[in-house]
Amino acid sequence: MAMNITHQIGSLAGTPMTTESITPTAASDTTTVSAVWKTQMPNIKIQKSEIIEQKSQPTSPCRSPIFSGMRADLSVACRAYADVAELEPSVEERLYRDGGVTEGRKGVPVYVMMPLDSVTMNNTVNRRKAMNASLQALKSAGVEGIMMDVWWGLVERENPGVYNWGGYSELLEMAKRHGLKVQAVMSFHQCGGNVGDSCTIPLPKWAVEEMERDPDLAYTDQWGRRNYEYVSLGCDTLPVLKGRTPVQCYSDFMRAFRDNFKHLLGDTVVEIQVGMGPAGELRYPSYPEQNGTWRFPGIGAFQCYDKYMLSSLQAAAEADGKPEWGSTGPRDAGEYNNWPEDTQFFKKDGGGWTSPYGEFFLNWYSQMLLDHGERIVSSATAIFENTGVKISVKVAGIHWHYGTRSHAPELTAGYYNTRYRDGYLPIAQMLGRHGAIFNFTCIEMRDHEQPQDALCAPEKLVRQVALATQEAKVPLAGENALPRYDESAHEQILQASSLSINGDSGDQEMCAFTYLRMNPHLFQEDNWRRFVAFIKKMKEGKNSDRCREQVEREAEHFVHVSQPLVQEAAVALMH
C-alpha cells in the first residue's frame, strides 16, 4: 500500500529511517548532527471563508504568524495514476512539469530551500528516497530549482585542502535528473544557534582546533563571550588557519567546487551564494540565540573585541588622529536584550551614536564588514568567471527597532543605517562593482503583523533596500524569513517581488525568489494547493494581462491532475 505524501516527506524531515540514519563522527566531541527535524506547529483558528491569524508573543527576530494546512494527506483524493497518465497533458501542464515559462514571459523564478541536513555527516544524501520524491513533487509544481547549503564543515572536515563532495555529487545529479536548477550556498559558517537551525554542523575539525588554540579567531563581545559560528573577519588576511588565511580557505573551497562540478555549472548550478558570516549572511553575529544569549527584539551587541578586530580599531583611531578611541568599542551600548532607549549610546536624544566618536566607530565597524564582503565576492567572481554562474550575497532583514532614530540592531550587525544615513546603498554599490546579486530576507512580512512597541517595519526596510539596489543598478533577489503557507504572505511576496515601490519601476522585478523551506507542512494538501497557485502567479509576473482568478483556476486544475504524479514519486519510498 502506498504511503501518503505527508508521511513520506515527513521522513525527510523528522522521522528517522532505519536504512538512512545519521551516525555522528567520533573524530571530535563538537562534531554532532541531529537526525530529527522538528517544526513547531502553531495554534490556528479556521472560519468558513478565511484563515484568522493568531498572534503569539515573539521569540525570534522575524516572528510572524505561521499558517498551515489542515489535511495531512496531499494524495487522499488522487485517482489511479494509470487513469490520468493516459490523458494528453495540456500546454500549461507541460509548462509546470518542465518548470519553465513561455518564451518572452516576464515573471520571477522561484527556488525552494532544501533541508539543512540534506547531506549527512557521512557525506551521503540524507533519506535518499524521500529526497527524490520531494524533488519530483517540487518539479511538478513548476518551481525553477532548489537552494542547497554546501557545508564547509562537511566537505573539508578532516584535513585542510582535502574535500569530500560525495553527498553533493549525488544530490546535484538528482536535481539535474529532475530538471531543477540549483543555487549552491558556499556555507562557511556553523549550522546551529540561529533562527530555524534544525541540526548542528560545526566548522571543519582542523579550523575548530585552530580556534581553540587561539580563541581570538572567534568573534568576541565586550564581556569576553566568544562566538564560534564563523571565523572573525578581523583575521581575514592573516595565515591563522594551518598556514592559510580564512579568505584563502574560502577561495580554495570555491575553486575545488568549480573544478569538481564544472560539467554542471551554468546549466544545473546557476548561482553561487557566497556565505560571509553567521547564517551565511554578510553581518556580525550580533544577535546569537544559542544558550539564550539574545532574545527578540533585543538590540544585540557589537562583536569587535577579539585581538584582531581591536588591532584594526587601534590603527584606524591612530590614523584619524584620535588614538584614545582605539582601545575599545562603545562601553555604553547596553546588553543583548536591551532596547535602544535603555542605553546611552543608542538613545534618540544625545545618544553616543551621533557623537564624533560614535560616527568614527560606526564607520570603522561597518567598513570592516564591507571590506570583508569585497574580499570574498571579488575572489568568487574571479573563480567562477566565464562559467555561466551568477554570484549572490545574502543580507539580513533586521527590521526590529527600524522605526527608531538609531536603528540599534542594524548597527550592532554592521549595517550603518540610521534615520539620517542609508546603510544599504554602500553594500549594493560594493556588490555592483563585482556584478553580484543582492539577496534580501523578510520579504513576506507586513508591518502590522509585527509587535508595534518594538517599532518593527519590514515593509519599509524592504522598500529601502529595493531603492538602494535600483540606484546601484544591482539585481535584487528575495527570501522569506520564516515558513509561511498562507495567501496573505504569498500576496506580500508577490507585491514585493514586483518592485512596484516608486511608481516608475517599469518592467523591473526581482531576479529570483527563494522559498523557505522544503518541509512536511509544505506538502499538506491546503498548503500545497496555495503553493502551486503562488508559483504560477510568480511566473506570470506583474504585467500579466490575465486575471488572478484565471491563474488560480488553472492552478487548481493542475493540483488535481498532478496528484497522481506526486503519489507516484512518493511510492518509491516503499522500495
CSV table of all heavy atoms in Angstrom, one decimal, residues 113-114 116 146-152 155 165 168 172 182-189 253-254 257 269 271-277 279-281 392-394 439 479 514 517:
chain,number,residue,atom,x,y,z
A,113,MET,N,14.3,26.2,-0.8
A,113,MET,CA,15.4,25.8,0.1
A,113,MET,C,15.3,24.3,0.5
A,113,MET,O,14.2,23.9,0.9
A,113,MET,CB,15.5,26.7,1.3
A,113,MET,CG,15.9,28.1,1.0
A,113,MET,SD,16.2,28.9,2.6
A,113,MET,CE,15.9,30.6,2.1
A,114,MET,N,16.4,23.6,0.4
A,114,MET,CA,16.4,22.2,0.9
A,114,MET,C,16.6,22.2,2.4
A,114,MET,O,17.1,23.2,3.0
A,114,MET,CB,17.5,21.5,0.2
A,114,MET,CG,17.4,21.5,-1.3
A,114,MET,SD,15.9,20.7,-1.9
A,114,MET,CE,16.2,19.0,-1.6
A,116,LEU,N,18.4,21.7,5.9
A,116,LEU,CA,19.8,22.0,6.2
A,116,LEU,C,20.7,20.7,6.3
A,116,LEU,O,21.9,20.8,6.0
A,116,LEU,CB,19.9,22.7,7.6
A,116,LEU,CG,19.2,24.1,7.7
A,116,LEU,CD1,19.1,24.5,9.1
A,116,LEU,CD2,20.1,25.1,6.9
A,146,ILE,N,16.2,24.5,-6.8
A,146,ILE,CA,16.4,24.4,-5.3
A,146,ILE,C,17.6,25.2,-4.9
A,146,ILE,O,18.5,25.5,-5.7
A,146,ILE,CB,16.5,22.9,-4.9
A,146,ILE,CG1,17.7,22.2,-5.6
A,146,ILE,CG2,15.2,22.2,-5.2
A,146,ILE,CD1,18.0,20.8,-5.2
A,147,MET,N,17.6,25.5,-3.6
A,147,MET,CA,18.8,26.0,-3.0
A,147,MET,C,19.4,25.0,-2.0
A,147,MET,O,18.6,24.5,-1.2
A,147,MET,CB,18.5,27.4,-2.3
A,147,MET,CG,19.7,27.9,-1.5
A,147,MET,SD,19.3,29.5,-0.7
A,147,MET,CE,19.6,30.7,-2.0
A,148,MET,N,20.6,24.8,-2.0
A,148,MET,CA,21.2,23.8,-1.1
A,148,MET,C,22.5,24.4,-0.4
A,148,MET,O,23.3,25.1,-1.1
A,148,MET,CB,21.6,22.5,-1.7
A,148,MET,CG,22.7,22.6,-2.8
A,148,MET,SD,23.2,21.0,-3.4
A,148,MET,CE,21.7,20.5,-4.3
A,149,ASP,N,22.6,24.2,0.9
A,149,ASP,CA,23.8,24.6,1.6
A,149,ASP,C,24.9,23.5,1.3
A,149,ASP,O,24.7,22.3,1.5
A,149,ASP,CB,23.6,24.6,3.1
A,149,ASP,CG,22.7,25.8,3.5
A,149,ASP,OD1,23.3,26.9,3.7
A,149,ASP,OD2,21.5,25.6,3.7
A,150,VAL,N,26.1,24.0,0.9
A,150,VAL,CA,27.3,23.2,0.7
A,150,VAL,C,28.2,23.5,1.9
A,150,VAL,O,28.9,24.5,1.9
A,150,VAL,CB,28.0,23.5,-0.6
A,150,VAL,CG1,29.2,22.5,-0.8
A,150,VAL,CG2,27.0,23.3,-1.8
A,151,TRP,N,28.1,22.7,2.9
A,151,TRP,CA,28.8,23.0,4.2
A,151,TRP,C,30.3,22.8,4.2
A,151,TRP,O,30.8,21.7,3.9
A,151,TRP,CB,28.2,22.1,5.3
A,151,TRP,CG,26.7,22.4,5.6
A,151,TRP,CD1,25.6,21.7,5.2
A,151,TRP,CD2,26.2,23.6,6.2
A,151,TRP,NE1,24.5,22.3,5.6
A,151,TRP,CE2,24.8,23.5,6.2
A,151,TRP,CE3,26.8,24.7,6.8
A,151,TRP,CZ2,24.0,24.4,6.8
A,151,TRP,CZ3,26.0,25.7,7.4
A,151,TRP,CH2,24.6,25.5,7.4
A,152,TRP,N,31.0,23.8,4.5
A,152,TRP,CA,32.5,23.8,4.6
A,152,TRP,C,32.8,22.7,5.7
A,152,TRP,O,33.7,21.9,5.5
A,152,TRP,CB,33.0,25.1,5.0
A,152,TRP,CG,34.4,25.3,5.2
A,152,TRP,CD1,35.4,24.7,4.4
A,152,TRP,CD2,35.1,26.2,6.1
A,152,TRP,NE1,36.7,25.1,4.8
A,152,TRP,CE2,36.5,26.0,5.8
A,152,TRP,CE3,34.7,27.1,7.0
A,152,TRP,CZ2,37.5,26.7,6.5
A,152,TRP,CZ3,35.7,27.8,7.7
A,152,TRP,CH2,37.1,27.6,7.5
A,155,VAL,N,32.4,19.1,3.9
A,155,VAL,CA,33.2,18.8,2.7
A,155,VAL,C,34.7,18.8,3.1
A,155,VAL,O,35.5,17.9,2.6
A,155,VAL,CB,33.0,19.8,1.6
A,155,VAL,CG1,33.9,19.5,0.4
A,155,VAL,CG2,31.5,19.7,1.1
A,165,TRP,N,33.2,15.5,-1.7
A,165,TRP,CA,31.9,16.0,-2.3
A,165,TRP,C,30.8,15.0,-2.4
A,165,TRP,O,29.8,15.2,-3.0
A,165,TRP,CB,32.2,16.6,-3.7
A,165,TRP,CG,33.3,17.7,-3.7
A,165,TRP,CD1,34.6,17.6,-4.1
A,165,TRP,CD2,33.1,19.0,-3.2
A,165,TRP,NE1,35.2,18.8,-4.0
A,165,TRP,CE2,34.4,19.7,-3.4
A,165,TRP,CE3,32.1,19.8,-2.7
A,165,TRP,CZ2,34.6,21.0,-3.1
A,165,TRP,CZ3,32.3,21.1,-2.4
A,165,TRP,CH2,33.5,21.7,-2.6
A,168,TYR,N,27.1,15.7,-2.1
A,168,TYR,CA,26.7,16.8,-3.0
A,168,TYR,C,26.7,16.4,-4.5
A,168,TYR,O,25.9,16.8,-5.3
A,168,TYR,CB,27.6,18.0,-2.8
A,168,TYR,CG,27.3,18.6,-1.4
A,168,TYR,CD1,28.2,18.4,-0.4
A,168,TYR,CD2,26.2,19.3,-1.1
A,168,TYR,CE1,28.0,18.9,0.9
A,168,TYR,CE2,25.9,19.8,0.1
A,168,TYR,CZ,26.8,19.6,1.1
A,168,TYR,OH,26.5,20.1,2.4
A,172,LEU,N,23.3,16.9,-6.5
A,172,LEU,CA,23.3,17.7,-7.7
A,172,LEU,C,22.9,16.9,-8.9
A,172,LEU,O,22.1,17.4,-9.8
A,172,LEU,CB,24.7,18.3,-8.0
A,172,LEU,CG,25.0,19.5,-7.0
A,172,LEU,CD1,26.5,19.8,-7.1
A,172,LEU,CD2,24.2,20.7,-7.3
A,182,VAL,N,20.0,24.8,-9.6
A,182,VAL,CA,20.5,24.8,-8.3
A,182,VAL,C,21.1,26.1,-7.9
A,182,VAL,O,22.0,26.6,-8.7
A,182,VAL,CB,21.5,23.7,-8.0
A,182,VAL,CG1,22.1,23.8,-6.6
A,182,VAL,CG2,20.8,22.3,-8.2
A,183,GLN,N,20.8,26.7,-6.8
A,183,GLN,CA,21.5,27.8,-6.1
A,183,GLN,C,22.4,27.1,-5.1
A,183,GLN,O,21.8,26.6,-4.1
A,183,GLN,CB,20.6,28.8,-5.5
A,183,GLN,CG,19.7,29.5,-6.5
A,183,GLN,CD,18.6,30.3,-5.8
A,183,GLN,OE1,18.0,29.9,-4.8
A,183,GLN,NE2,18.3,31.5,-6.3
A,184,ALA,N,23.7,27.1,-5.2
A,184,ALA,CA,24.5,26.4,-4.3
A,184,ALA,C,25.1,27.5,-3.3
A,184,ALA,O,25.7,28.5,-3.7
A,184,ALA,CB,25.7,25.7,-5.0
A,185,VAL,N,24.9,27.3,-2.0
A,185,VAL,CA,25.4,28.2,-1.0
A,185,VAL,C,26.7,27.7,-0.4
A,185,VAL,O,26.8,26.6,0.1
A,185,VAL,CB,24.4,28.4,0.2
A,185,VAL,CG1,24.9,29.4,1.1
A,185,VAL,CG2,23.0,28.7,-0.4
A,186,MET,N,27.7,28.5,-0.6
A,186,MET,CA,29.0,28.2,0.0
A,186,MET,C,28.9,28.5,1.5
A,186,MET,O,29.2,29.7,1.9
A,186,MET,CB,30.2,29.0,-0.7
A,186,MET,CG,30.3,28.8,-2.2
A,186,MET,SD,30.8,27.1,-2.7
A,186,MET,CE,29.3,26.3,-3.1
A,187,SER,N,28.6,27.6,2.3
A,187,SER,CA,28.3,27.8,3.7
A,187,SER,C,29.5,27.7,4.6
A,187,SER,O,29.8,26.6,5.0
A,187,SER,CB,27.2,26.9,4.2
A,187,SER,OG,26.0,27.2,3.5
A,188,PHE,N,30.2,28.8,4.8
A,188,PHE,CA,31.4,28.8,5.6
A,188,PHE,C,31.1,29.1,7.1
A,188,PHE,O,32.1,29.4,7.8
A,188,PHE,CB,32.3,29.9,5.0
A,188,PHE,CG,32.8,29.7,3.6
A,188,PHE,CD1,32.5,30.6,2.6
A,188,PHE,CD2,33.4,28.5,3.2
A,188,PHE,CE1,32.9,30.4,1.3
A,188,PHE,CE2,33.8,28.3,1.9
A,188,PHE,CZ,33.5,29.2,0.9
A,189,HIS,N,29.9,28.9,7.5
A,189,HIS,CA,29.5,29.1,8.9
A,189,HIS,C,29.1,27.8,9.5
A,189,HIS,O,28.8,26.8,8.8
A,189,HIS,CB,28.4,30.2,8.9
A,189,HIS,CG,27.1,29.7,8.3
A,189,HIS,ND1,27.0,29.7,6.9
A,189,HIS,CD2,25.9,29.3,8.7
A,189,HIS,CE1,25.8,29.3,6.5
A,189,HIS,NE2,25.1,29.0,7.7
A,253,PHE,N,38.2,26.5,-1.4
A,253,PHE,CA,37.0,25.7,-1.3
A,253,PHE,C,36.1,25.9,-2.6
A,253,PHE,O,35.6,25.0,-3.2
A,253,PHE,CB,36.2,26.0,-0.1
A,253,PHE,CG,34.9,25.2,0.2
A,253,PHE,CD1,35.0,24.0,0.9
A,253,PHE,CD2,33.7,25.6,-0.3
A,253,PHE,CE1,33.9,23.3,1.1
A,253,PHE,CE2,32.6,24.9,-0.1
A,253,PHE,CZ,32.6,23.7,0.6
A,254,MET,N,35.9,27.2,-2.9
A,254,MET,CA,35.1,27.5,-4.1
A,254,MET,C,35.8,27.1,-5.4
A,254,MET,O,35.1,26.6,-6.3
A,254,MET,CB,34.8,29.1,-4.2
A,254,MET,CG,33.9,29.6,-3.1
A,254,MET,SD,33.4,31.3,-3.2
A,254,MET,CE,34.9,32.1,-2.8
A,257,PHE,N,35.1,23.4,-5.6
A,257,PHE,CA,33.8,23.2,-6.1
A,257,PHE,C,33.6,23.4,-7.6
A,257,PHE,O,33.0,22.6,-8.3
A,257,PHE,CB,32.8,24.1,-5.3
A,257,PHE,CG,31.4,23.9,-5.7
A,257,PHE,CD1,30.6,23.1,-5.0
A,257,PHE,CD2,30.8,24.7,-6.7
A,257,PHE,CE1,29.2,22.9,-5.3
A,257,PHE,CE2,29.5,24.5,-7.1
A,257,PHE,CZ,28.7,23.6,-6.4
A,269,VAL,N,23.8,24.0,-12.0
A,269,VAL,CA,24.2,25.0,-11.0
A,269,VAL,C,24.3,26.4,-11.7
A,269,VAL,O,25.1,26.7,-12.5
A,269,VAL,CB,25.6,24.7,-10.4
A,269,VAL,CG1,26.0,25.8,-9.3
A,269,VAL,CG2,25.6,23.3,-9.7
A,271,GLU,N,23.7,29.5,-9.8
A,271,GLU,CA,24.1,30.6,-8.9
A,271,GLU,C,24.9,30.0,-7.7
A,271,GLU,O,24.7,29.0,-7.2
A,271,GLU,CB,22.8,31.2,-8.3
A,271,GLU,CG,23.0,32.4,-7.4
A,271,GLU,CD,21.7,33.0,-6.9
A,271,GLU,OE1,20.7,33.1,-7.7
A,271,GLU,OE2,21.7,33.4,-5.7
A,272,ILE,N,25.9,30.8,-7.3
A,272,ILE,CA,26.7,30.6,-6.2
A,272,ILE,C,26.4,31.7,-5.2
A,272,ILE,O,26.7,32.9,-5.4
A,272,ILE,CB,28.2,30.5,-6.5
A,272,ILE,CG1,28.5,29.4,-7.5
A,272,ILE,CG2,29.0,30.4,-5.2
A,272,ILE,CD1,28.3,28.0,-6.9
A,273,GLN,N,25.8,31.3,-4.1
A,273,GLN,CA,25.6,32.3,-3.0
A,273,GLN,C,26.8,32.2,-2.0
A,273,GLN,O,27.0,31.1,-1.4
A,273,GLN,CB,24.3,32.2,-2.3
A,273,GLN,CG,24.0,33.3,-1.3
A,273,GLN,CD,22.6,33.2,-0.7
A,273,GLN,OE1,22.5,32.8,0.5
A,273,GLN,NE2,21.6,33.5,-1.4
A,274,VAL,N,27.5,33.2,-1.8
A,274,VAL,CA,28.8,33.1,-1.0
A,274,VAL,C,28.5,33.5,0.4
A,274,VAL,O,28.1,34.6,0.7
A,274,VAL,CB,29.9,34.0,-1.6
A,274,VAL,CG1,31.2,33.7,-0.9
A,274,VAL,CG2,30.0,33.8,-3.1
A,275,GLY,N,28.7,32.5,1.3
A,275,GLY,CA,28.5,32.8,2.8
A,275,GLY,C,29.5,33.7,3.3
A,275,GLY,O,30.7,33.6,3.0
A,276,MET,N,29.1,34.7,4.1
A,276,MET,CA,30.0,35.8,4.5
A,276,MET,C,29.9,36.0,6.0
A,276,MET,O,30.5,37.0,6.5
A,276,MET,CB,29.8,37.1,3.8
A,276,MET,CG,30.1,36.9,2.3
A,276,MET,SD,30.2,38.5,1.5
A,276,MET,CE,30.8,38.0,-0.1
A,277,GLY,N,29.2,35.2,6.8
A,277,GLY,CA,29.0,35.4,8.2
A,277,GLY,C,28.0,34.4,8.8
A,277,GLY,O,27.7,33.4,8.1
A,279,ALA,N,24.8,32.4,9.7
A,279,ALA,CA,23.6,32.1,8.9
A,279,ALA,C,23.9,32.4,7.4
A,279,ALA,O,22.9,32.5,6.6
A,279,ALA,CB,22.4,32.9,9.4
A,280,GLY,N,25.2,32.5,7.1
A,280,GLY,CA,25.5,32.7,5.7
A,280,GLY,C,25.3,34.2,5.2
A,280,GLY,O,25.5,34.5,4.0
A,281,GLU,N,25.0,35.1,6.2
A,281,GLU,CA,24.7,36.4,5.8
A,281,GLU,C,25.9,37.4,6.0
A,281,GLU,O,26.7,37.1,6.9
A,281,GLU,CB,23.5,36.9,6.7
A,281,GLU,CG,22.3,36.2,6.4
A,281,GLU,CD,21.2,36.4,7.5
A,281,GLU,OE1,21.5,36.7,8.6
A,281,GLU,OE2,20.0,36.2,7.1
A,392,SER,N,25.9,35.6,-5.7
A,392,SER,CA,25.0,36.4,-4.9
A,392,SER,C,25.5,36.5,-3.5
A,392,SER,O,26.3,35.6,-3.1
A,392,SER,CB,23.5,35.8,-4.9
A,392,SER,OG,23.5,34.6,-4.2
A,393,VAL,N,25.0,37.5,-2.7
A,393,VAL,CA,25.4,37.7,-1.3
A,393,VAL,C,24.1,37.9,-0.6
A,393,VAL,O,23.2,38.7,-1.0
A,393,VAL,CB,26.4,38.8,-1.2
A,393,VAL,CG1,26.6,39.1,0.3
A,393,VAL,CG2,27.7,38.5,-1.9
A,394,LYS,N,23.9,37.3,0.6
A,394,LYS,CA,22.7,37.5,1.4
A,394,LYS,C,22.9,38.5,2.5
A,394,LYS,O,23.9,38.4,3.2
A,394,LYS,CB,22.4,36.1,2.0
A,394,LYS,CG,21.0,36.1,2.8
A,394,LYS,CD,20.7,34.7,3.2
A,394,LYS,CE,19.5,34.6,4.1
A,394,LYS,NZ,19.2,33.2,4.5
A,439,ASN,N,20.8,39.6,-2.2
A,439,ASN,CA,19.8,38.8,-1.8
A,439,ASN,C,19.3,39.2,-0.4
A,439,ASN,O,20.1,39.4,0.5
A,439,ASN,CB,20.3,37.3,-1.7
A,439,ASN,CG,19.2,36.4,-1.3
A,439,ASN,OD1,18.7,36.3,-0.2
A,439,ASN,ND2,18.7,35.6,-2.3
A,479,GLU,N,14.0,36.3,-0.2
A,479,GLU,CA,13.7,35.1,0.5
A,479,GLU,C,12.7,35.5,1.6
A,479,GLU,O,12.6,36.6,2.1
A,479,GLU,CB,14.9,34.5,1.3
A,479,GLU,CG,16.1,34.1,0.3
A,479,GLU,CD,17.2,33.5,1.1
A,479,GLU,OE1,17.2,33.4,2.3
A,479,GLU,OE2,18.2,33.2,0.5
A,514,THR,N,13.6,32.8,-3.4
A,514,THR,CA,13.9,31.5,-2.8
A,514,THR,C,12.9,31.3,-1.6
A,514,THR,O,12.9,32.1,-0.7
A,514,THR,CB,15.3,31.4,-2.3
A,514,THR,OG1,16.2,31.7,-3.5
A,514,THR,CG2,15.6,30.0,-1.8
A,517,ARG,N,10.9,26.8,3.5
A,517,ARG,CA,11.8,25.8,3.1
A,517,ARG,C,11.1,24.5,2.8
A,517,ARG,O,9.9,24.4,3.2
A,517,ARG,CB,12.8,25.6,4.3
A,517,ARG,CG,13.8,24.4,4.1
A,517,ARG,CD,14.7,24.2,5.3
A,517,ARG,NE,15.2,25.4,5.9
A,517,ARG,CZ,16.4,26.0,5.6
A,517,ARG,NH1,17.1,25.4,4.7
A,517,ARG,NH2,16.9,27.0,6.2
